[in-house]
PDB file of all heavy atoms in Angstrom:
ATOM      1  N   ALA A   1      19.332  36.725 -41.721  1.00  0.00           N
ATOM      2  CA  ALA A   1      19.181  38.058 -41.141  1.00  0.00           C
ATOM      3  C   ALA A   1      20.466  38.489 -40.445  1.00  0.00           C
ATOM      4  O   ALA A   1      20.887  39.659 -40.539  1.00  0.00           O
ATOM      5  CB  ALA A   1      18.016  38.069 -40.160  1.00  0.00           C
ATOM      6  N   LEU A   2      21.123  37.567 -39.761  1.00  0.00           N
ATOM      7  CA  LEU A   2      22.393  37.879 -39.098  1.00  0.00           C
ATOM      8  C   LEU A   2      23.477  38.210 -40.119  1.00  0.00           C
ATOM      9  O   LEU A   2      24.204  39.215 -39.989  1.00  0.00           O
ATOM     10  CB  LEU A   2      22.836  36.708 -38.230  1.00  0.00           C
ATOM     11  CG  LEU A   2      22.044  36.508 -36.940  1.00  0.00           C
ATOM     12  CD1 LEU A   2      22.320  35.122 -36.350  1.00  0.00           C
ATOM     13  CD2 LEU A   2      22.398  37.592 -35.926  1.00  0.00           C
ATOM     14  N   LEU A   3      23.596  37.381 -41.161  1.00  0.00           N
ATOM     15  CA  LEU A   3      24.633  37.623 -42.166  1.00  0.00           C
ATOM     16  C   LEU A   3      24.415  38.951 -42.880  1.00  0.00           C
ATOM     17  O   LEU A   3      25.370  39.690 -43.164  1.00  0.00           O
ATOM     18  CB  LEU A   3      24.665  36.474 -43.176  1.00  0.00           C
ATOM     19  CG  LEU A   3      25.042  35.096 -42.617  1.00  0.00           C
ATOM     20  CD1 LEU A   3      25.041  34.053 -43.734  1.00  0.00           C
ATOM     21  CD2 LEU A   3      26.385  35.128 -41.923  1.00  0.00           C
ATOM     22  N   TYR A   4      23.144  39.268 -43.165  1.00  0.00           N
ATOM     23  CA  TYR A   4      22.845  40.559 -43.798  1.00  0.00           C
ATOM     24  C   TYR A   4      23.225  41.698 -42.852  1.00  0.00           C
ATOM     25  O   TYR A   4      23.785  42.724 -43.273  1.00  0.00           O
ATOM     26  CB  TYR A   4      21.379  40.663 -44.195  1.00  0.00           C
ATOM     27  CG  TYR A   4      21.065  41.970 -44.878  1.00  0.00           C
ATOM     28  CD1 TYR A   4      21.248  42.121 -46.245  1.00  0.00           C
ATOM     29  CD2 TYR A   4      20.619  43.074 -44.147  1.00  0.00           C
ATOM     30  CE1 TYR A   4      21.003  43.327 -46.872  1.00  0.00           C
ATOM     31  CE2 TYR A   4      20.367  44.289 -44.765  1.00  0.00           C
ATOM     32  CZ  TYR A   4      20.568  44.415 -46.129  1.00  0.00           C
ATOM     33  OH  TYR A   4      20.328  45.622 -46.740  1.00  0.00           O
ATOM     34  N   SER A   5      22.926  41.539 -41.568  1.00  0.00           N
ATOM     35  CA  SER A   5      23.225  42.583 -40.585  1.00  0.00           C
ATOM     36  C   SER A   5      24.731  42.806 -40.441  1.00  0.00           C
ATOM     37  O   SER A   5      25.169  43.943 -40.259  1.00  0.00           O
ATOM     38  CB  SER A   5      22.634  42.203 -39.224  1.00  0.00           C
ATOM     39  OG  SER A   5      21.224  42.098 -39.294  1.00  0.00           O
ATOM     40  N   PHE A   6      25.520  41.731 -40.523  1.00  0.00           N
ATOM     41  CA  PHE A   6      26.976  41.890 -40.483  1.00  0.00           C
ATOM     42  C   PHE A   6      27.470  42.734 -41.644  1.00  0.00           C
ATOM     43  O   PHE A   6      28.363  43.570 -41.489  1.00  0.00           O
ATOM     44  CB  PHE A   6      27.671  40.516 -40.543  1.00  0.00           C
ATOM     45  CG  PHE A   6      27.399  39.603 -39.380  1.00  0.00           C
ATOM     46  CD1 PHE A   6      27.499  38.224 -39.550  1.00  0.00           C
ATOM     47  CD2 PHE A   6      27.059  40.094 -38.129  1.00  0.00           C
ATOM     48  CE1 PHE A   6      27.245  37.359 -38.491  1.00  0.00           C
ATOM     49  CE2 PHE A   6      26.808  39.244 -37.061  1.00  0.00           C
ATOM     50  CZ  PHE A   6      26.904  37.872 -37.249  1.00  0.00           C
ATOM     51  N   LYS A   7      26.892  42.514 -42.838  1.00  0.00           N
ATOM     52  CA  LYS A   7      27.354  43.196 -44.046  1.00  0.00           C
ATOM     53  C   LYS A   7      26.802  44.616 -44.162  1.00  0.00           C
ATOM     54  O   LYS A   7      27.462  45.493 -44.729  1.00  0.00           O
ATOM     55  CB  LYS A   7      26.940  42.404 -45.297  1.00  0.00           C
ATOM     56  CG  LYS A   7      27.702  41.119 -45.513  1.00  0.00           C
ATOM     57  CD  LYS A   7      27.350  40.481 -46.855  1.00  0.00           C
ATOM     58  CE  LYS A   7      27.848  41.297 -48.035  1.00  0.00           C
ATOM     59  NZ  LYS A   7      27.556  40.642 -49.337  1.00  0.00           N
ATOM     60  N   HIS A   8      25.590  44.830 -43.639  1.00  0.00           N
ATOM     61  CA  HIS A   8      24.913  46.118 -43.836  1.00  0.00           C
ATOM     62  C   HIS A   8      24.351  46.646 -42.509  1.00  0.00           C
ATOM     63  O   HIS A   8      23.136  46.841 -42.382  1.00  0.00           O
ATOM     64  CB  HIS A   8      23.782  45.971 -44.864  1.00  0.00           C
ATOM     65  CG  HIS A   8      24.223  45.401 -46.167  1.00  0.00           C
ATOM     66  ND1 HIS A   8      24.851  46.145 -47.144  1.00  0.00           N
ATOM     67  CD2 HIS A   8      24.134  44.135 -46.665  1.00  0.00           C
ATOM     68  CE1 HIS A   8      25.122  45.380 -48.199  1.00  0.00           C
ATOM     69  NE2 HIS A   8      24.704  44.164 -47.923  1.00  0.00           N
ATOM     70  N   PRO A   9      25.223  46.892 -41.550  1.00  0.00           N
ATOM     71  CA  PRO A   9      24.716  47.332 -40.238  1.00  0.00           C
ATOM     72  C   PRO A   9      23.974  48.662 -40.300  1.00  0.00           C
ATOM     73  O   PRO A   9      23.082  48.914 -39.475  1.00  0.00           O
ATOM     74  CB  PRO A   9      25.993  47.464 -39.391  1.00  0.00           C
ATOM     75  CG  PRO A   9      27.102  47.626 -40.390  1.00  0.00           C
ATOM     76  CD  PRO A   9      26.690  46.809 -41.571  1.00  0.00           C
ATOM     77  N   ASP A  10      24.276  49.479 -41.302  1.00  0.00           N
ATOM     78  CA  ASP A  10      23.618  50.782 -41.428  1.00  0.00           C
ATOM     79  C   ASP A  10      22.179  50.646 -41.917  1.00  0.00           C
ATOM     80  O   ASP A  10      21.405  51.614 -41.836  1.00  0.00           O
ATOM     81  CB  ASP A  10      24.391  51.684 -42.369  1.00  0.00           C
ATOM     82  CG  ASP A  10      24.587  51.055 -43.754  1.00  0.00           C
ATOM     83  OD1 ASP A  10      24.831  49.824 -43.817  1.00  0.00           O
ATOM     84  OD2 ASP A  10      24.508  51.773 -44.762  1.00  0.00           O
ATOM     85  N   GLN A  11      21.807  49.481 -42.446  1.00  0.00           N
ATOM     86  CA  GLN A  11      20.461  49.291 -42.976  1.00  0.00           C
ATOM     87  C   GLN A  11      19.508  48.639 -41.976  1.00  0.00           C
ATOM     88  O   GLN A  11      18.302  48.568 -42.228  1.00  0.00           O
ATOM     89  CB  GLN A  11      20.515  48.403 -44.226  1.00  0.00           C
ATOM     90  CG  GLN A  11      21.339  48.974 -45.366  1.00  0.00           C
ATOM     91  CD  GLN A  11      20.755  50.266 -45.921  1.00  0.00           C
ATOM     92  OE1 GLN A  11      19.549  50.421 -46.003  1.00  0.00           O
ATOM     93  NE2 GLN A  11      21.628  51.215 -46.234  1.00  0.00           N
ATOM     94  N   VAL A  12      20.035  48.154 -40.861  1.00  0.00           N
ATOM     95  CA  VAL A  12      19.230  47.372 -39.917  1.00  0.00           C
ATOM     96  C   VAL A  12      19.041  48.145 -38.624  1.00  0.00           C
ATOM     97  O   VAL A  12      20.013  48.544 -37.973  1.00  0.00           O
ATOM     98  CB  VAL A  12      19.893  46.006 -39.633  1.00  0.00           C
ATOM     99  CG1 VAL A  12      19.038  45.193 -38.647  1.00  0.00           C
ATOM    100  CG2 VAL A  12      20.096  45.217 -40.920  1.00  0.00           C
ATOM    101  N   GLN A  13      17.793  48.348 -38.244  1.00  0.00           N
ATOM    102  CA  GLN A  13      17.470  49.067 -37.016  1.00  0.00           C
ATOM    103  C   GLN A  13      17.141  48.128 -35.860  1.00  0.00           C
ATOM    104  O   GLN A  13      17.417  48.432 -34.709  1.00  0.00           O
ATOM    105  CB  GLN A  13      16.248  49.986 -37.267  1.00  0.00           C
ATOM    106  CG  GLN A  13      16.539  51.160 -38.161  1.00  0.00           C
ATOM    107  CD  GLN A  13      16.616  52.465 -37.381  1.00  0.00           C
ATOM    108  OE1 GLN A  13      16.494  52.485 -36.164  1.00  0.00           O
ATOM    109  NE2 GLN A  13      16.825  53.560 -38.087  1.00  0.00           N
ATOM    110  N   ARG A  14      16.514  47.008 -36.179  1.00  0.00           N
ATOM    111  CA  ARG A  14      16.110  46.055 -35.148  1.00  0.00           C
ATOM    112  C   ARG A  14      16.207  44.648 -35.722  1.00  0.00           C
ATOM    113  O   ARG A  14      16.082  44.465 -36.934  1.00  0.00           O
ATOM    114  CB  ARG A  14      14.680  46.324 -34.664  1.00  0.00           C
ATOM    115  CG  ARG A  14      14.476  47.693 -34.049  1.00  0.00           C
ATOM    116  CD  ARG A  14      13.029  47.971 -33.669  1.00  0.00           C
ATOM    117  NE  ARG A  14      12.153  48.098 -34.815  1.00  0.00           N
ATOM    118  CZ  ARG A  14      10.929  48.657 -34.783  1.00  0.00           C
ATOM    119  NH1 ARG A  14      10.458  49.140 -33.659  1.00  0.00           N
ATOM    120  NH2 ARG A  14      10.185  48.725 -35.870  1.00  0.00           N
ATOM    121  N   LEU A  15      16.379  43.671 -34.838  1.00  0.00           N
ATOM    122  CA  LEU A  15      16.567  42.300 -35.275  1.00  0.00           C
ATOM    123  C   LEU A  15      15.738  41.372 -34.396  1.00  0.00           C
ATOM    124  O   LEU A  15      15.732  41.508 -33.162  1.00  0.00           O
ATOM    125  CB  LEU A  15      18.044  41.946 -35.167  1.00  0.00           C
ATOM    126  CG  LEU A  15      18.521  40.581 -35.687  1.00  0.00           C
ATOM    127  CD1 LEU A  15      18.248  40.435 -37.172  1.00  0.00           C
ATOM    128  CD2 LEU A  15      20.018  40.411 -35.408  1.00  0.00           C
ATOM    129  N   VAL A  16      15.025  40.446 -35.032  1.00  0.00           N
ATOM    130  CA  VAL A  16      14.207  39.458 -34.304  1.00  0.00           C
ATOM    131  C   VAL A  16      14.573  38.080 -34.841  1.00  0.00           C
ATOM    132  O   VAL A  16      14.458  37.816 -36.035  1.00  0.00           O
ATOM    133  CB  VAL A  16      12.691  39.715 -34.496  1.00  0.00           C
ATOM    134  CG1 VAL A  16      11.888  38.679 -33.715  1.00  0.00           C
ATOM    135  CG2 VAL A  16      12.322  41.130 -34.064  1.00  0.00           C
ATOM    136  N   LEU A  17      15.013  37.208 -33.933  1.00  0.00           N
ATOM    137  CA  LEU A  17      15.393  35.839 -34.292  1.00  0.00           C
ATOM    138  C   LEU A  17      14.496  34.872 -33.559  1.00  0.00           C
ATOM    139  O   LEU A  17      14.258  35.008 -32.359  1.00  0.00           O
ATOM    140  CB  LEU A  17      16.842  35.558 -33.928  1.00  0.00           C
ATOM    141  CG  LEU A  17      17.906  36.534 -34.457  1.00  0.00           C
ATOM    142  CD1 LEU A  17      19.284  36.129 -33.918  1.00  0.00           C
ATOM    143  CD2 LEU A  17      17.910  36.553 -35.981  1.00  0.00           C
ATOM    144  N   THR A  18      13.987  33.866 -34.284  1.00  0.00           N
ATOM    145  CA  THR A  18      13.176  32.837 -33.643  1.00  0.00           C
ATOM    146  C   THR A  18      13.596  31.486 -34.213  1.00  0.00           C
ATOM    147  O   THR A  18      13.532  31.256 -35.415  1.00  0.00           O
ATOM    148  CB  THR A  18      11.669  33.108 -33.838  1.00  0.00           C
ATOM    149  OG1 THR A  18      10.918  32.043 -33.243  1.00  0.00           O
ATOM    150  CG2 THR A  18      11.269  33.279 -35.278  1.00  0.00           C
ATOM    151  N   GLY A  19      14.105  30.623 -33.322  1.00  0.00           N
ATOM    152  CA  GLY A  19      14.605  29.322 -33.773  1.00  0.00           C
ATOM    153  C   GLY A  19      15.707  29.446 -34.809  1.00  0.00           C
ATOM    154  O   GLY A  19      15.805  28.626 -35.719  1.00  0.00           O
ATOM    155  N   SER A  20      16.582  30.451 -34.667  1.00  0.00           N
ATOM    156  CA  SER A  20      17.581  30.733 -35.696  1.00  0.00           C
ATOM    157  C   SER A  20      18.684  29.682 -35.725  1.00  0.00           C
ATOM    158  O   SER A  20      19.148  29.211 -34.689  1.00  0.00           O
ATOM    159  CB  SER A  20      18.201  32.106 -35.459  1.00  0.00           C
ATOM    160  OG  SER A  20      19.216  32.384 -36.408  1.00  0.00           O
ATOM    161  N   SER A  21      19.121  29.350 -36.943  1.00  0.00           N
ATOM    162  CA  SER A  21      20.352  28.582 -37.083  1.00  0.00           C
ATOM    163  C   SER A  21      21.525  29.560 -37.006  1.00  0.00           C
ATOM    164  O   SER A  21      21.331  30.766 -36.883  1.00  0.00           O
ATOM    165  CB  SER A  21      20.358  27.814 -38.403  1.00  0.00           C
ATOM    166  OG  SER A  21      20.242  28.675 -39.509  1.00  0.00           O
ATOM    167  N   GLY A  22      22.728  29.011 -37.060  1.00  0.00           N
ATOM    168  CA  GLY A  22      23.915  29.856 -36.984  1.00  0.00           C
ATOM    169  C   GLY A  22      24.848  29.473 -35.861  1.00  0.00           C
ATOM    170  O   GLY A  22      26.044  29.780 -35.903  1.00  0.00           O
ATOM    171  N   LEU A  23      24.321  28.799 -34.858  1.00  0.00           N
ATOM    172  CA  LEU A  23      25.170  28.287 -33.777  1.00  0.00           C
ATOM    173  C   LEU A  23      25.150  26.748 -33.756  1.00  0.00           C
ATOM    174  O   LEU A  23      26.176  26.101 -33.805  1.00  0.00           O
ATOM    175  CB  LEU A  23      24.722  28.843 -32.415  1.00  0.00           C
ATOM    176  CG  LEU A  23      24.896  30.349 -32.204  1.00  0.00           C
ATOM    177  CD1 LEU A  23      24.397  30.759 -30.841  1.00  0.00           C
ATOM    178  CD2 LEU A  23      26.368  30.748 -32.372  1.00  0.00           C
ATOM    179  N   PHE A  24      23.941  26.197 -33.681  1.00  0.00           N
ATOM    180  CA  PHE A  24      23.778  24.748 -33.686  1.00  0.00           C
ATOM    181  C   PHE A  24      22.369  24.427 -34.133  1.00  0.00           C
ATOM    182  O   PHE A  24      21.423  25.092 -33.709  1.00  0.00           O
ATOM    183  CB  PHE A  24      24.013  24.153 -32.296  1.00  0.00           C
ATOM    184  CG  PHE A  24      23.620  22.708 -32.189  1.00  0.00           C
ATOM    185  CD1 PHE A  24      24.461  21.718 -32.670  1.00  0.00           C
ATOM    186  CD2 PHE A  24      22.400  22.340 -31.652  1.00  0.00           C
ATOM    187  CE1 PHE A  24      24.094  20.383 -32.609  1.00  0.00           C
ATOM    188  CE2 PHE A  24      22.025  21.010 -31.576  1.00  0.00           C
ATOM    189  CZ  PHE A  24      22.872  20.030 -32.062  1.00  0.00           C
ATOM    190  N   GLU A  25      22.234  23.404 -34.959  1.00  0.00           N
ATOM    191  CA  GLU A  25      20.885  22.999 -35.363  1.00  0.00           C
ATOM    192  C   GLU A  25      20.887  21.543 -35.778  1.00  0.00           C
ATOM    193  O   GLU A  25      21.880  21.031 -36.306  1.00  0.00           O
ATOM    194  CB  GLU A  25      20.347  23.872 -36.496  1.00  0.00           C
ATOM    195  CG  GLU A  25      21.099  23.802 -37.799  1.00  0.00           C
ATOM    196  CD  GLU A  25      22.294  24.755 -37.880  1.00  0.00           C
ATOM    197  OE1 GLU A  25      22.460  25.571 -36.940  1.00  0.00           O
ATOM    198  OE2 GLU A  25      23.041  24.685 -38.856  1.00  0.00           O
ATOM    199  N   ASN A  26      19.779  20.871 -35.512  1.00  0.00           N
ATOM    200  CA  ASN A  26      19.534  19.512 -35.996  1.00  0.00           C
ATOM    201  C   ASN A  26      18.649  19.626 -37.230  1.00  0.00           C
ATOM    202  O   ASN A  26      17.435  19.656 -37.126  1.00  0.00           O
ATOM    203  CB  ASN A  26      18.798  18.679 -34.944  1.00  0.00           C
ATOM    204  CG  ASN A  26      19.672  18.371 -33.749  1.00  0.00           C
ATOM    205  OD1 ASN A  26      20.825  17.990 -33.900  1.00  0.00           O
ATOM    206  ND2 ASN A  26      19.132  18.555 -32.555  1.00  0.00           N
ATOM    207  N   GLY A  27      19.247  19.737 -38.396  1.00  0.00           N
ATOM    208  CA  GLY A  27      18.456  19.897 -39.619  1.00  0.00           C
ATOM    209  C   GLY A  27      17.568  18.685 -39.893  1.00  0.00           C
ATOM    210  O   GLY A  27      18.026  17.565 -39.882  1.00  0.00           O
ATOM    211  N   MET A  28      16.283  18.935 -40.130  1.00  0.00           N
ATOM    212  CA  MET A  28      15.300  17.883 -40.418  1.00  0.00           C
ATOM    213  C   MET A  28      15.394  16.758 -39.391  1.00  0.00           C
ATOM    214  O   MET A  28      15.216  15.584 -39.710  1.00  0.00           O
ATOM    215  CB  MET A  28      15.518  17.328 -41.830  1.00  0.00           C
ATOM    216  CG  MET A  28      15.012  18.216 -42.930  1.00  0.00           C
ATOM    217  SD  MET A  28      13.230  18.473 -42.937  1.00  0.00           S
ATOM    218  CE  MET A  28      12.661  16.915 -43.567  1.00  0.00           C
ATOM    219  N   GLY A  29      15.693  17.124 -38.133  1.00  0.00           N
ATOM    220  CA  GLY A  29      15.755  16.100 -37.113  1.00  0.00           C
ATOM    221  C   GLY A  29      17.019  15.275 -37.201  1.00  0.00           C
ATOM    222  O   GLY A  29      17.074  14.131 -36.754  1.00  0.00           O
ATOM    223  N   GLY A  30      18.102  15.842 -37.754  1.00  0.00           N
ATOM    224  CA  GLY A  30      19.378  15.161 -37.761  1.00  0.00           C
ATOM    225  C   GLY A  30      19.700  14.455 -39.070  1.00  0.00           C
ATOM    226  O   GLY A  30      20.689  13.751 -39.173  1.00  0.00           O
ATOM    227  N   SER A  31      18.880  14.623 -40.102  1.00  0.00           N
ATOM    228  CA  SER A  31      19.165  13.949 -41.368  1.00  0.00           C
ATOM    229  C   SER A  31      18.695  14.805 -42.523  1.00  0.00           C
ATOM    230  O   SER A  31      17.868  15.684 -42.360  1.00  0.00           O
ATOM    231  CB  SER A  31      18.462  12.587 -41.418  1.00  0.00           C
ATOM    232  OG  SER A  31      17.071  12.747 -41.351  1.00  0.00           O
ATOM    233  N   PHE A  32      19.232  14.533 -43.702  1.00  0.00           N
ATOM    234  CA  PHE A  32      18.809  15.245 -44.891  1.00  0.00           C
ATOM    235  C   PHE A  32      17.524  14.619 -45.421  1.00  0.00           C
ATOM    236  O   PHE A  32      17.210  13.473 -45.122  1.00  0.00           O
ATOM    237  CB  PHE A  32      19.899  15.219 -45.948  1.00  0.00           C
ATOM    238  CG  PHE A  32      21.085  16.045 -45.586  1.00  0.00           C
ATOM    239  CD1 PHE A  32      22.331  15.474 -45.450  1.00  0.00           C
ATOM    240  CD2 PHE A  32      20.937  17.398 -45.344  1.00  0.00           C
ATOM    241  CE1 PHE A  32      23.425  16.241 -45.107  1.00  0.00           C
ATOM    242  CE2 PHE A  32      22.039  18.179 -44.994  1.00  0.00           C
ATOM    243  CZ  PHE A  32      23.283  17.598 -44.868  1.00  0.00           C
ATOM    244  N   PRO A  33      16.747  15.351 -46.209  1.00  0.00           N
ATOM    245  CA  PRO A  33      15.453  14.851 -46.673  1.00  0.00           C
ATOM    246  C   PRO A  33      15.582  13.570 -47.489  1.00  0.00           C
ATOM    247  O   PRO A  33      16.459  13.450 -48.339  1.00  0.00           O
ATOM    248  CB  PRO A  33      14.906  16.008 -47.530  1.00  0.00           C
ATOM    249  CG  PRO A  33      16.083  16.853 -47.840  1.00  0.00           C
ATOM    250  CD  PRO A  33      17.014  16.705 -46.699  1.00  0.00           C
ATOM    251  N   LYS A  34      14.714  12.626 -47.216  1.00  0.00           N
ATOM    252  CA  LYS A  34      14.713  11.347 -47.912  1.00  0.00           C
ATOM    253  C   LYS A  34      13.608  11.377 -48.973  1.00  0.00           C
ATOM    254  O   LYS A  34      12.449  11.576 -48.678  1.00  0.00           O
ATOM    255  CB  LYS A  34      14.454  10.221 -46.922  1.00  0.00           C
ATOM    256  CG  LYS A  34      14.531   8.827 -47.509  1.00  0.00           C
ATOM    257  CD  LYS A  34      14.212   7.786 -46.451  1.00  0.00           C
ATOM    258  CE  LYS A  34      15.250   7.790 -45.350  1.00  0.00           C
ATOM    259  NZ  LYS A  34      14.979   6.725 -44.338  1.00  0.00           N
ATOM    260  N   ARG A  35      14.014  11.197 -50.232  1.00  0.00           N
ATOM    261  CA  ARG A  35      13.059  11.278 -51.315  1.00  0.00           C
ATOM    262  C   ARG A  35      12.165  10.042 -51.368  1.00  0.00           C
ATOM    263  O   ARG A  35      12.592   8.935 -51.071  1.00  0.00           O
ATOM    264  CB  ARG A  35      13.779  11.431 -52.663  1.00  0.00           C
ATOM    265  CG  ARG A  35      14.431  12.780 -52.866  1.00  0.00           C
ATOM    266  CD  ARG A  35      14.800  12.994 -54.325  1.00  0.00           C
ATOM    267  NE  ARG A  35      15.549  11.880 -54.882  1.00  0.00           N
ATOM    268  CZ  ARG A  35      15.102  11.081 -55.845  1.00  0.00           C
ATOM    269  NH1 ARG A  35      13.893  11.267 -56.349  1.00  0.00           N
ATOM    270  NH2 ARG A  35      15.845  10.110 -56.310  1.00  0.00           N
TER     271      ARG A  35
END
């Protein structure tokens, strides 16, 4: 949603982020999925 808003600010009126990545995140608890 952030990347789209950067590219198309004229299309976005409001923005809601919940638990968003983009600054820091522990993906899957710090590891990639184990098959």
Side-chain angles (χ1 to χ4, degrees):
L2 287 165
L3 296 180
Y4 182 86
S5 298
F6 296 154
K7 288 187 69 177
H8 305 280
D10 57 321
Q11 299 297 322
V12 180
Q13 290 254 2
R14 299 176 292 197
L15 185 61
V16 180
L17 306 177
T18 178
S20 177
S21 60
L23 293 179
F24 170 80
E25 64 274 354
N26 291 314
M28 284 296 285
S31 62
F32 290 119
K34 185 182 296 182
R35 289 195 310 114

